[in-house]
PDB file of all heavy atoms in Angstrom:
ATOM      1  N   CYS J 190      91.044 -36.565  32.019  1.00  0.00           N
ATOM      2  CA  CYS J 190      90.178 -37.402  32.905  1.00  0.00           C
ATOM      3  C   CYS J 190      90.152 -36.780  34.252  1.00  0.00           C
ATOM      4  O   CYS J 190      91.107 -36.859  35.044  1.00  0.00           O
ATOM      5  CB  CYS J 190      90.677 -38.805  32.942  1.00  0.00           C
ATOM      6  SG  CYS J 190      89.649 -39.833  33.987  1.00  0.00           S
ATOM      7  N   PRO J 191      89.038 -36.188  34.686  1.00  0.00           N
ATOM      8  CA  PRO J 191      88.941 -35.635  36.060  1.00  0.00           C
ATOM      9  C   PRO J 191      89.050 -36.653  37.151  1.00  0.00           C
ATOM     10  O   PRO J 191      89.604 -36.436  38.246  1.00  0.00           O
ATOM     11  CB  PRO J 191      87.552 -34.987  36.078  1.00  0.00           C
ATOM     12  CG  PRO J 191      87.144 -34.807  34.683  1.00  0.00           C
ATOM     13  CD  PRO J 191      87.797 -35.973  33.936  1.00  0.00           C
ATOM     14  N   VAL J 192      88.586 -37.846  36.887  1.00  0.00           N
ATOM     15  CA  VAL J 192      88.566 -38.946  37.940  1.00  0.00           C
ATOM     16  C   VAL J 192      90.011 -39.322  38.264  1.00  0.00           C
ATOM     17  O   VAL J 192      90.384 -39.433  39.432  1.00  0.00           O
ATOM     18  CB  VAL J 192      87.786 -40.217  37.445  1.00  0.00           C
ATOM     19  CG1 VAL J 192      87.859 -41.283  38.475  1.00  0.00           C
ATOM     20  CG2 VAL J 192      86.365 -39.835  37.147  1.00  0.00           C
ATOM     21  N   ARG J 193      90.833 -39.515  37.269  1.00  0.00           N
ATOM     22  CA  ARG J 193      92.272 -39.868  37.517  1.00  0.00           C
ATOM     23  C   ARG J 193      92.938 -38.727  38.200  1.00  0.00           C
ATOM     24  O   ARG J 193      93.745 -38.899  39.153  1.00  0.00           O
ATOM     25  CB  ARG J 193      92.983 -40.152  36.192  1.00  0.00           C
ATOM     26  CG  ARG J 193      92.635 -41.496  35.551  1.00  0.00           C
ATOM     27  CD  ARG J 193      93.330 -41.654  34.242  1.00  0.00           C
ATOM     28  NE  ARG J 193      93.254 -42.991  33.647  1.00  0.00           N
ATOM     29  CZ  ARG J 193      92.187 -43.442  32.966  1.00  0.00           C
ATOM     30  NH1 ARG J 193      91.188 -42.608  32.692  1.00  0.00           N
ATOM     31  NH2 ARG J 193      92.176 -44.654  32.461  1.00  0.00           N
ATOM     32  N   ALA J 194      92.714 -37.500  37.711  1.00  0.00           N
ATOM     33  CA  ALA J 194      93.405 -36.302  38.276  1.00  0.00           C
ATOM     34  C   ALA J 194      92.993 -36.048  39.689  1.00  0.00           C
ATOM     35  O   ALA J 194      93.854 -35.726  40.585  1.00  0.00           O
ATOM     36  CB  ALA J 194      93.127 -35.046  37.429  1.00  0.00           C
ATOM     37  N   LEU J 195      91.718 -36.208  40.013  1.00  0.00           N
ATOM     38  CA  LEU J 195      91.231 -36.057  41.410  1.00  0.00           C
ATOM     39  C   LEU J 195      91.855 -37.084  42.316  1.00  0.00           C
ATOM     40  O   LEU J 195      92.288 -36.786  43.494  1.00  0.00           O
ATOM     41  CB  LEU J 195      89.733 -36.111  41.455  1.00  0.00           C
ATOM     42  CG  LEU J 195      88.995 -34.893  40.931  1.00  0.00           C
ATOM     43  CD1 LEU J 195      87.519 -35.201  40.802  1.00  0.00           C
ATOM     44  CD2 LEU J 195      89.171 -33.696  41.893  1.00  0.00           C
ATOM     45  N   ALA J 196      91.888 -38.368  41.852  1.00  0.00           N
ATOM     46  CA  ALA J 196      92.443 -39.446  42.658  1.00  0.00           C
ATOM     47  C   ALA J 196      93.916 -39.127  43.007  1.00  0.00           C
ATOM     48  O   ALA J 196      94.364 -39.330  44.177  1.00  0.00           O
ATOM     49  CB  ALA J 196      92.335 -40.759  41.970  1.00  0.00           C
ATOM     50  N   ALA J 197      94.692 -38.667  42.040  1.00  0.00           N
ATOM     51  CA  ALA J 197      96.104 -38.400  42.274  1.00  0.00           C
ATOM     52  C   ALA J 197      96.325 -37.231  43.240  1.00  0.00           C
ATOM     53  O   ALA J 197      97.195 -37.295  44.130  1.00  0.00           O
ATOM     54  CB  ALA J 197      96.784 -38.063  40.930  1.00  0.00           C
ATOM     55  N   TRP J 198      95.440 -36.198  43.092  1.00  0.00           N
ATOM     56  CA  TRP J 198      95.580 -35.031  44.014  1.00  0.00           C
ATOM     57  C   TRP J 198      95.111 -35.347  45.399  1.00  0.00           C
ATOM     58  O   TRP J 198      95.795 -35.025  46.429  1.00  0.00           O
ATOM     59  CB  TRP J 198      94.864 -33.832  43.483  1.00  0.00           C
ATOM     60  CG  TRP J 198      94.683 -32.718  44.391  1.00  0.00           C
ATOM     61  CD1 TRP J 198      93.504 -32.174  44.835  1.00  0.00           C
ATOM     62  CD2 TRP J 198      95.679 -31.947  45.093  1.00  0.00           C
ATOM     63  NE1 TRP J 198      93.686 -31.152  45.697  1.00  0.00           N
ATOM     64  CE2 TRP J 198      95.049 -31.023  45.858  1.00  0.00           C
ATOM     65  CE3 TRP J 198      97.086 -32.050  45.092  1.00  0.00           C
ATOM     66  CZ2 TRP J 198      95.743 -30.092  46.705  1.00  0.00           C
ATOM     67  CZ3 TRP J 198      97.789 -31.105  45.836  1.00  0.00           C
ATOM     68  CH2 TRP J 198      97.121 -30.180  46.662  1.00  0.00           C
ATOM     69  N   LEU J 199      94.001 -36.000  45.558  1.00  0.00           N
ATOM     70  CA  LEU J 199      93.429 -36.237  46.888  1.00  0.00           C
ATOM     71  C   LEU J 199      94.269 -37.293  47.674  1.00  0.00           C
ATOM     72  O   LEU J 199      94.456 -37.114  48.897  1.00  0.00           O
ATOM     73  CB  LEU J 199      91.993 -36.772  46.776  1.00  0.00           C
ATOM     74  CG  LEU J 199      91.002 -35.724  46.311  1.00  0.00           C
ATOM     75  CD1 LEU J 199      89.601 -36.340  46.064  1.00  0.00           C
ATOM     76  CD2 LEU J 199      90.874 -34.576  47.282  1.00  0.00           C
ATOM     77  N   SER J 200      94.879 -38.247  46.987  1.00  0.00           N
ATOM     78  CA  SER J 200      95.694 -39.213  47.708  1.00  0.00           C
ATOM     79  C   SER J 200      96.969 -38.615  48.269  1.00  0.00           C
ATOM     80  O   SER J 200      97.460 -39.017  49.262  1.00  0.00           O
ATOM     81  CB  SER J 200      96.030 -40.370  46.755  1.00  0.00           C
ATOM     82  OG  SER J 200      96.862 -39.919  45.691  1.00  0.00           O
ATOM     83  N   GLU J 201      97.457 -37.557  47.530  1.00  0.00           N
ATOM     84  CA  GLU J 201      98.709 -36.967  47.996  1.00  0.00           C
ATOM     85  C   GLU J 201      98.462 -35.821  48.978  1.00  0.00           C
ATOM     86  O   GLU J 201      99.133 -35.620  49.961  1.00  0.00           O
ATOM     87  CB  GLU J 201      99.527 -36.430  46.814  1.00  0.00           C
ATOM     88  CG  GLU J 201     100.798 -35.717  47.163  1.00  0.00           C
ATOM     89  CD  GLU J 201     101.702 -36.601  47.995  1.00  0.00           C
ATOM     90  OE1 GLU J 201     101.821 -37.813  47.672  1.00  0.00           O
ATOM     91  OE2 GLU J 201     102.339 -36.095  48.977  1.00  0.00           O
ATOM     92  N   SER J 202      97.370 -35.020  48.747  1.00  0.00           N
ATOM     93  CA  SER J 202      97.058 -33.887  49.612  1.00  0.00           C
ATOM     94  C   SER J 202      96.441 -34.238  50.934  1.00  0.00           C
ATOM     95  O   SER J 202      96.579 -33.553  51.925  1.00  0.00           O
ATOM     96  CB  SER J 202      96.133 -32.903  48.910  1.00  0.00           C
ATOM     97  OG  SER J 202      94.863 -33.557  48.677  1.00  0.00           O
ATOM     98  N   ARG J 203      95.847 -35.433  50.971  1.00  0.00           N
ATOM     99  CA  ARG J 203      95.218 -35.964  52.179  1.00  0.00           C
ATOM    100  C   ARG J 203      94.135 -35.001  52.755  1.00  0.00           C
ATOM    101  O   ARG J 203      93.919 -34.925  53.925  1.00  0.00           O
ATOM    102  CB  ARG J 203      96.248 -36.296  53.275  1.00  0.00           C
ATOM    103  CG  ARG J 203      97.204 -37.379  52.860  1.00  0.00           C
ATOM    104  CD  ARG J 203      98.231 -37.692  53.999  1.00  0.00           C
ATOM    105  NE  ARG J 203      99.096 -38.806  53.645  1.00  0.00           N
ATOM    106  CZ  ARG J 203     100.210 -38.697  52.953  1.00  0.00           C
ATOM    107  NH1 ARG J 203     100.638 -37.428  52.589  1.00  0.00           N
ATOM    108  NH2 ARG J 203     100.982 -39.683  52.669  1.00  0.00           N
ATOM    109  N   ILE J 204      93.501 -34.267  51.858  1.00  0.00           N
ATOM    110  CA  ILE J 204      92.440 -33.382  52.269  1.00  0.00           C
ATOM    111  C   ILE J 204      91.242 -34.259  52.673  1.00  0.00           C
ATOM    112  O   ILE J 204      90.833 -35.179  51.971  1.00  0.00           O
ATOM    113  CB  ILE J 204      91.988 -32.434  51.141  1.00  0.00           C
ATOM    114  CG1 ILE J 204      93.201 -31.599  50.730  1.00  0.00           C
ATOM    115  CG2 ILE J 204      90.827 -31.511  51.607  1.00  0.00           C
ATOM    116  CD1 ILE J 204      92.910 -30.687  49.515  1.00  0.00           C
ATOM    117  N   LYS J 205      90.614 -33.875  53.805  1.00  0.00           N
ATOM    118  CA  LYS J 205      89.471 -34.607  54.302  1.00  0.00           C
ATOM    119  C   LYS J 205      88.169 -33.924  53.965  1.00  0.00           C
ATOM    120  O   LYS J 205      87.340 -34.391  53.203  1.00  0.00           O
ATOM    121  CB  LYS J 205      89.594 -34.860  55.843  1.00  0.00           C
ATOM    122  CG  LYS J 205      90.808 -35.669  56.197  1.00  0.00           C
ATOM    123  CD  LYS J 205      90.768 -37.015  55.537  1.00  0.00           C
ATOM    124  CE  LYS J 205      92.019 -37.879  55.988  1.00  0.00           C
ATOM    125  NZ  LYS J 205      92.008 -39.202  55.341  1.00  0.00           N
ATOM    126  N   SER J 206      87.991 -32.722  54.554  1.00  0.00           N
ATOM    127  CA  SER J 206      86.704 -31.975  54.277  1.00  0.00           C
ATOM    128  C   SER J 206      86.813 -30.593  54.822  1.00  0.00           C
ATOM    129  O   SER J 206      87.663 -30.298  55.646  1.00  0.00           O
ATOM    130  CB  SER J 206      85.515 -32.713  54.932  1.00  0.00           C
ATOM    131  OG  SER J 206      85.628 -32.722  56.278  1.00  0.00           O
ATOM    132  N   GLY J 207      85.880 -29.755  54.368  1.00  0.00           N
ATOM    133  CA  GLY J 207      85.616 -28.437  54.954  1.00  0.00           C
ATOM    134  C   GLY J 207      86.545 -27.311  54.634  1.00  0.00           C
ATOM    135  O   GLY J 207      87.669 -27.489  54.089  1.00  0.00           O
ATOM    136  N   TYR J 208      86.144 -26.070  54.902  1.00  0.00           N
ATOM    137  CA  TYR J 208      86.969 -24.938  54.775  1.00  0.00           C
ATOM    138  C   TYR J 208      87.926 -24.913  55.941  1.00  0.00           C
ATOM    139  O   TYR J 208      87.613 -25.432  57.031  1.00  0.00           O
ATOM    140  CB  TYR J 208      86.115 -23.634  54.822  1.00  0.00           C
ATOM    141  CG  TYR J 208      85.267 -23.344  53.605  1.00  0.00           C
ATOM    142  CD1 TYR J 208      83.924 -23.276  53.639  1.00  0.00           C
ATOM    143  CD2 TYR J 208      85.940 -23.131  52.381  1.00  0.00           C
ATOM    144  CE1 TYR J 208      83.163 -23.062  52.470  1.00  0.00           C
ATOM    145  CE2 TYR J 208      85.240 -22.853  51.219  1.00  0.00           C
ATOM    146  CZ  TYR J 208      83.891 -22.813  51.301  1.00  0.00           C
ATOM    147  OH  TYR J 208      83.159 -22.558  50.193  1.00  0.00           O
ATOM    148  N   PRO J 209      89.118 -24.220  55.839  1.00  0.00           N
ATOM    149  CA  PRO J 209      89.562 -23.553  54.655  1.00  0.00           C
ATOM    150  C   PRO J 209      90.217 -24.493  53.635  1.00  0.00           C
ATOM    151  O   PRO J 209      90.662 -24.047  52.582  1.00  0.00           O
ATOM    152  CB  PRO J 209      90.624 -22.558  55.172  1.00  0.00           C
ATOM    153  CG  PRO J 209      91.238 -23.277  56.339  1.00  0.00           C
ATOM    154  CD  PRO J 209      90.098 -24.094  56.934  1.00  0.00           C
ATOM    155  N   GLU J 210      90.164 -25.799  53.916  1.00  0.00           N
ATOM    156  CA  GLU J 210      90.826 -26.757  53.028  1.00  0.00           C
ATOM    157  C   GLU J 210      89.835 -27.138  51.885  1.00  0.00           C
ATOM    158  O   GLU J 210      89.206 -28.202  51.950  1.00  0.00           O
ATOM    159  CB  GLU J 210      91.265 -27.967  53.746  1.00  0.00           C
ATOM    160  CG  GLU J 210      92.394 -27.656  54.704  1.00  0.00           C
ATOM    161  CD  GLU J 210      93.007 -28.933  55.305  1.00  0.00           C
ATOM    162  OE1 GLU J 210      92.295 -29.943  55.374  1.00  0.00           O
ATOM    163  OE2 GLU J 210      94.178 -28.885  55.750  1.00  0.00           O
ATOM    164  N   THR J 211      89.680 -26.257  50.968  1.00  0.00           N
ATOM    165  CA  THR J 211      88.901 -26.553  49.800  1.00  0.00           C
ATOM    166  C   THR J 211      89.681 -27.569  48.943  1.00  0.00           C
ATOM    167  O   THR J 211      90.832 -27.918  49.249  1.00  0.00           O
ATOM    168  CB  THR J 211      88.616 -25.328  48.942  1.00  0.00           C
ATOM    169  OG1 THR J 211      89.831 -24.655  48.671  1.00  0.00           O
ATOM    170  CG2 THR J 211      87.691 -24.353  49.720  1.00  0.00           C
TER     171      THR J 211
END
Side-chain angles (χ1 to χ4, degrees):
C190 178
V192 177
R193 287 178 170 82
L195 285 168
W198 167 239
L199 291 174
S200 64
E201 179 56 41
S202 63
R203 297 182 176 86
I204 300 175
K205 298 300 181 181
S206 64
Y208 286 119
E210 293 188 336
T211 54

